[in-house]
Amino acid sequence: MELELDGKVVLVTGGSNGLGRALCHRLVAERARVAFCGRNPERLAATGAALEAEGGEVLAVAADVTQPEDLARFVGGAAERWGRIDGVVNNAGRSAAKPLTELSDEELDDDLALKLHAAARLCRLTMAQLAEHGGAIVNVLAIGGKTPGAGSMPSSVSRAAGMAMTKALSKEAGPRNVRVNGVLIGLIESGQWDRMAEVRGVPVAQVYDEMARGAGIPLGRVGRAEEFADLVSFLLSPRSGYVSGTAINLDGGLCAVV
């Protein structure tokens, strides 16, 4: 399927490694122009070089998305270079889970700052440009936002808040021809599991198999980063032009809630 992303400008937070990096590669393959940010200059440079080697037109920006001035610089750099913004992916985040009685105010505030406040700020900063070009926003969340378990905070709380923001913003932005959707990930291949396998001294395939069996994933395996990239790219594209206000599970059927 031709996604019609040729020449579109997409901003990706947390784009220098993991799922964000996979998405940037997919977007470049679709001939989109990609601005991505991250906090590690070495990873940013390596990812930028890899994308350019594939013929990509990219902009790598060192930025902490929890800092308003960094986000403003990220958005401004993309707008100055290409004169438009067509898509935004709020991907930056980390996973943290513990019981409420062990959770400090600072830990809760930090997680909300990263997964809720930063995403809301980036949406505000880009809304006018997105509206001008009929753009799309994708918020990357997790299935814990739909089915939180014991000891799942603060991540489950911030992801649930992100879901609420996604739905509310879809109703506000829809009349401006901007679509807003969420992707709720389950267990997906990533660098953190590679590192775990290295520490344990076992093949990473063994770790993934154990995770899939332990979690009871109906499809019997963990997801691939490329599958995440495919779904997000579709949601950014005009081919999903009537999809808005949804929170799509990418979890192999694991989540008990549709």
Side-chain angles (χ1 to χ4, degrees), residues 2 73 136:
E2 171 58 57
R73 179 167 48 82

Side-chain angles (χ1 to χ4, degrees), residues 29-221:
E30 292 292 333
R31 301 175 300 281
R33 295 175 285 187
V34 182
F36 65 98
C37 69
R39 293 182 297 177
N40 186 298
E42 291 77 20
R43 282 203 297 260
L44 280 167
T47 299
L51 294 169
E52 288 174 346
E54 296 174 3
E57 190 175 349
V58 301
L59 175 66
V61 178
D64 178 348
V65 297
T66 65
Q67 301 303 309
E69 61 275 14
D70 281 14
L71 265 187
R73 179 167 48 82
F74 176 48
V75 172
E80 180 179 355
R81 177 165 178 177
W82 291 306
R84 61 185 294 156
I85 295 173
D86 301 278
V88 167
V89 182
N90 284 301
N91 173 67
R94 58 177 176 266
S95 179
K98 61 175 60 176
L100 177 64
T101 53
E102 299 175 13
L103 182 67
S104 70
D105 289 348
E106 291 75 18
E107 289 171 316
L108 180 57
D109 288 344
D110 287 349
D111 205 63
L112 287 168
L114 180 58
K115 286 306 294 182
L116 180 63
H117 298 311
R121 189 174 296 119
L122 184 55
C123 291
R124 284 197 303 268
L125 287 170
T126 57
M127 186 57 68
Q129 294 239 29
L130 292 170
E132 182 178 350
H133 301 289
I137 296 168
V138 178
N139 294 319
V140 181
L141 304 164
I143 59 174
K146 286 185 178 179
T147 55
S152 67
M153 295 181 275
S155 286
S156 61
V157 172
S158 62
R159 274 56 172 181
M163 282 178 55
M165 183 185 75
T166 297
K167 191 64 174 180
L169 184 57
S170 73
K171 295 180 181 297
E172 295 178 9
R176 302 181 69 180
N177 199 27
V178 176
R179 297 179 297 106
V180 188
N181 291 291
V183 171
L184 277 61
I185 60 172
L187 293 174
I188 308 288
E189 293 176 357
S190 71
Q192 64 177 317
W193 310 123
D194 293 339
R195 292 187 290 272
M196 176 187 290
E198 185 177 350
V199 169
R200 290 178 52 190
V202 300
V204 69
Q206 178 180 328
V207 172
Y208 289 144
D209 182 61
E210 292 171 353
M211 289 167 53
R213 285 188 284 106
I217 299 173
L219 288 184
R221 65 174 176 84

Side-chain angles (χ1 to χ4, degrees), residues 210-243:
E210 292 171 353
M211 289 167 53
R213 285 188 284 106
I217 299 173
L219 288 184
R221 65 174 176 84
V222 301
R224 303 184 183 97
E226 293 78 13
E227 292 168 325
F228 165 85
D230 287 345
L231 175 57
V232 175
S233 296
F234 172 70
L235 291 174
L236 290 168
S237 80
R239 302 306 293 268
S240 64
Y242 202 56
V243 181

